[in-house]
């Protein structure tokens, strides 16, 4: 989220580069299943456009030996309609997919549950609601902040203290999330996002707005049937 020490903003991109990459095939690249009837339709294309299906006859037509006319404009229209029929057939066989509104994430029960959790997290950030953020956090929370040092590590107690300071230091917040990928591991869910945050912070020179734009990873785990943040806040 970027509300804790700024070491995250300097190192988190490296964490994403060095960390686990999504192993699942992205939802927007799911292969299309082409039915076996399509090759037969393709084989019939010469008849759609009025061209001879026999190779020798096709050569005579192109060389002017045969009196057969070249394809007319109406024949081109027939070809376009044939392609449209094939596209509709491909669509009906599963090339199309439903996505969760305002995202590129495939609309499944599992994905919806993850995004609903992250949306609750986003709203709690905007409200600067430390109690709600802690309620979304696992007691096993730990974040090494992307550095090999140990003096900047954040556990549950450190996070709680940081959120308490946030209520006084951050006067207002706007927080937007664009999803880049979901990766399901045996005991974790990795949520890669690109976030844009506007924070009105209190400084010795008076309050002013700060904007942050960076890739980020939230790590969730299921505890008693509910998702909790175990890293990445």
């Amino acid at each position: 989220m970027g509300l804790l020490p700024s070491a995250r903003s300097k190192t988190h991109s490296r964490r994403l580069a060095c960390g686990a990459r999504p192993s699942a095939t992205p939802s927007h690249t799911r292969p299309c299943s082409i039915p076996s009837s399509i090759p037969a339709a393709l084989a019939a294309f010469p008849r759609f456009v009025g061209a001879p299906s026999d190779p020798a006859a096709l050569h005579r037509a192109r060389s002017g030996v045969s009196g057969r006319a070249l394809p007319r404009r109406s024949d081109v229209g027939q070809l376009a309609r044939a392609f449209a029929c094939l596209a509709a057939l491909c669509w009906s066989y599963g090339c199309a997919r439903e996505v969760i509104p305002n995202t590129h994430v495939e609309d499944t029960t599992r994905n919806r549950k993850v995004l609903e959790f992250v949306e609750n997290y986003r709203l709690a950030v905007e409200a600067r609601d430390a109690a709600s953020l802690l309620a979304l956090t696992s007691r096993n929370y730990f974040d090494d902040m992307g550095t090999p040092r140990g003096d900047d590590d954040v556990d549950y107690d450190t996070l709680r203290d940081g959120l308490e300071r946030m209520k006084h230091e951050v006067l207002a917040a706007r927080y937007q999330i664009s999803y880049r990928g979901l990766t399901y591991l045996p005991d974790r869910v990795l949520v890669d996002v690109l976030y844009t945050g506007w924070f009105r912070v209190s400084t010795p020179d008076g309050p002013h707005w700060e904007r942050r734009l960076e890739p980020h990873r939230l790590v969730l785990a299921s505890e008693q049937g509910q998702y909790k943040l175990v890293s990445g806040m």
Side-chain angles (χ1 to χ4, degrees), residues 22 24 105 110-111 114-115 179-184 189-192:
V105 177
R110 182 167 67 166
N111 289 349
V114 171
L115 265 63
Y179 293 92
R180 306 180 74 185
L182 304 181
T183 304
Y184 292 91
V189 181
L190 310 181
V191 185
D192 289 314

Side-chain angles (χ1 to χ4, degrees), residues 27-28 97-108 111-112 114-116 118-119 122 176-182 191-193:
S27 58
H28 64 278
R97 63 181 180 85
E98 296 293 330
V99 296
I100 297 174
N102 301 317
T103 76
H104 296 291
V105 177
E106 186 175 5
D107 192 350
T108 67
N111 289 349
R112 274 188 174 271
V114 171
L115 265 63
E116 286 171 1
V118 177
E119 176 63 10
R122 187 189 71 80
Q176 296 179 351
I177 288 177
S178 175
Y179 293 92
R180 306 180 74 185
L182 304 181
V191 185
D192 289 314
V193 304

Side-chain angles (χ1 to χ4, degrees), residues 48-131:
F48 291 161
V49 299
S53 57
D54 176 65
L58 180 61
H59 174 73
R60 290 195 300 273
R62 288 175 174 173
S63 61
V65 174
S66 169
R68 188 164 186 163
L70 294 176
R72 299 182 300 275
R73 183 174 300 177
S74 60
D75 297 328
V76 176
Q78 290 179 345
L79 178 60
R81 286 192 293 274
F83 272 114
C85 290
L86 284 176
L89 184 61
C90 181
W91 182 279
S92 66
Y93 272 82
C95 295
R97 63 181 180 85
E98 296 293 330
V99 296
I100 297 174
N102 301 317
T103 76
H104 296 291
V105 177
E106 186 175 5
D107 192 350
T108 67
T109 301
R110 182 167 67 166
N111 289 349
R112 274 188 174 271
K113 188 176 180 181
V114 171
L115 265 63
E116 286 171 1
F117 175 89
V118 177
E119 176 63 10
N120 289 334
Y121 162 76
R122 187 189 71 80
L123 293 174
V125 172
E126 287 198 334
R128 299 174 298 119
D129 188 342

Side-chain angles (χ1 to χ4, degrees), residues 188-218:
R188 295 284 190 274
V189 181
L190 310 181
V191 185
D192 289 314
V193 304
L194 180 68
Y195 86 82
T196 307
W198 295 266
F199 304 99
R200 184 171 173 81
V201 296
S202 177
T203 71
D205 298 327
H208 70 272
W209 285 94
E210 291 184 0
R211 179 177 180 269
R212 295 180 183 175
L213 171 66
E214 61 184 54
H216 193 66
R217 170 171 287 173
L218 301 170

